[in-house]
Amino acid sequence: MRRARLTLVLALAVFWAVVPALLAAARWPRYWEWIAPELTPMTWVQTMALVLAAAGCALVALVTARIGERPRWIWWPLGAGFFALAVDDRFALHERIRDGYLAPRGVTVPFLPWVAPGDFLIMGVAVVGLALLPFVWRAVRPDTGAALALAAGVVLSAAAVGLDSVDPATWSTAAERFQQSFEEVLELGGGLAFLAAVALRLLGLLDTHLPARAPAPEQDRDAPAPVPDTAAPSRDGAPAGPLP
């Protein structure tokens, strides 16, 4: 199981490095076109990572309920949160609300002067996630690998949210394209790190609680070979003596 865990982490790390590079190369020199905007191939990859993390949370919740592991309730809201983020990514929901309702009306948060009008919704989602973080941390803490992956996901996601919150009007066009592309790469890394945390916790639970496979019994070489039954039945059905 240790090899499976290491393979999983390495595969996700390579995936994080390779996918943005391939998307940028496919549109070079307009590298940002499949990364920075919404509803691009990068968005699809991010959505799939979050959907897999949500499904993994459901599996962990079912396993923990079966074996009596605590706390088990947190996996359901965590999975629902990942799924909600996937839906938001796929359909650009908070961007539509921002651009269609909040930004035209100049809705801002007074104590966040660097945030553009209406561009604070995802920060509210981050605050909810931070409120649930102690419960999630308690659920993954017994597994060191899962805890490290969760910490990496929190750091990468916080960096992505912070970078995304800066008003793009304060950047030049070239700088904005790089900033938005880098933010999407950080967001993908955060999603993959959360997926790794959930998958590692699931593997740890299965490794701990699944019964070990019993070794196949070996025949004793020194044991005498079974004697074949050479007795022939008599005419009336009673066993007769050995055949001559």
Side-chain angles (χ1 to χ4, degrees):
M1 188 67 73
R2 181 178 180 182
R3 179 177 296 179
R5 293 164 64 90
L6 181 59
T7 301
L8 171 70
V9 173
L10 290 177
L12 292 177
V14 171
F15 187 83
W16 181 33
V18 169
V19 168
L22 290 178
L23 293 178
R27 302 299 293 173
W28 193 266
R30 303 175 65 85
Y31 67 91
W32 65 90
E33 289 188 341
W34 279 2
I35 299 178
E38 300 299 326
L39 306 180
T40 60
M42 178 66 114
T43 305
W44 182 85
V45 175
Q46 293 167 337
T47 300
M48 290 301 100
L50 292 171
V51 168
L52 289 175
C57 287
L59 288 175
V60 175
L62 294 175
V63 171
T64 53
R66 178 71 176 176
I67 64 178
E69 183 86 9
R70 293 179 180 276
R72 53 180 176 265
W73 65 269
I74 189 59
W75 294 104
W76 292 113
L78 181 62
F82 286 144
F83 185 76
L85 289 174
V87 172
D88 177 72
D89 264 353
R90 175 60 184 84
F91 299 103
L93 296 182
H94 83 270
E95 288 87 359
R96 297 177 189 274
I97 296 173
R98 176 196 65 195
D99 297 336
Y101 300 96
L102 300 178
R105 293 168 174 79
V107 180
T108 60
V109 178
F111 54 85
L112 300 175
W114 69 89
V115 179
D119 212 11
F120 52 83
L121 294 176
I122 200 67
M123 299 184 71
V125 175
V127 169
V128 174
L130 290 175
L132 293 175
L133 182 59
F135 303 99
V136 180
W137 180 259
R138 181 184 172 191
V140 303
R141 185 174 54 188
D143 190 308
T144 303
L148 291 174
L150 175 65
V154 171
V155 171
L156 290 170
S157 298
V161 171
L163 192 60
D164 186 59
S165 68
V166 180
D167 188 350
T170 62
W171 301 75
S172 66
T173 301
E176 180 187 356
R177 289 168 177 170
F178 179 81
Q179 176 254 353
Q180 290 295 319
S181 300
F182 186 57
E183 181 266 322
E184 295 297 333
V185 173
L186 290 175
E187 184 178 334
L188 175 62
L192 292 174
F194 288 135
L195 173 58
V198 175
L200 289 174
R201 187 64 184 126
L202 178 61
L203 290 175
L205 290 171
L206 295 178
D207 188 35
T208 303
H209 295 280
L210 280 181
R213 180 181 298 178
E218 296 183 0
Q219 185 176 358
D220 188 357
R221 296 181 179 178
D222 298 331
V227 179
D229 186 6
T230 57
S234 64
R235 293 182 180 179
D236 58 359
L243 294 175

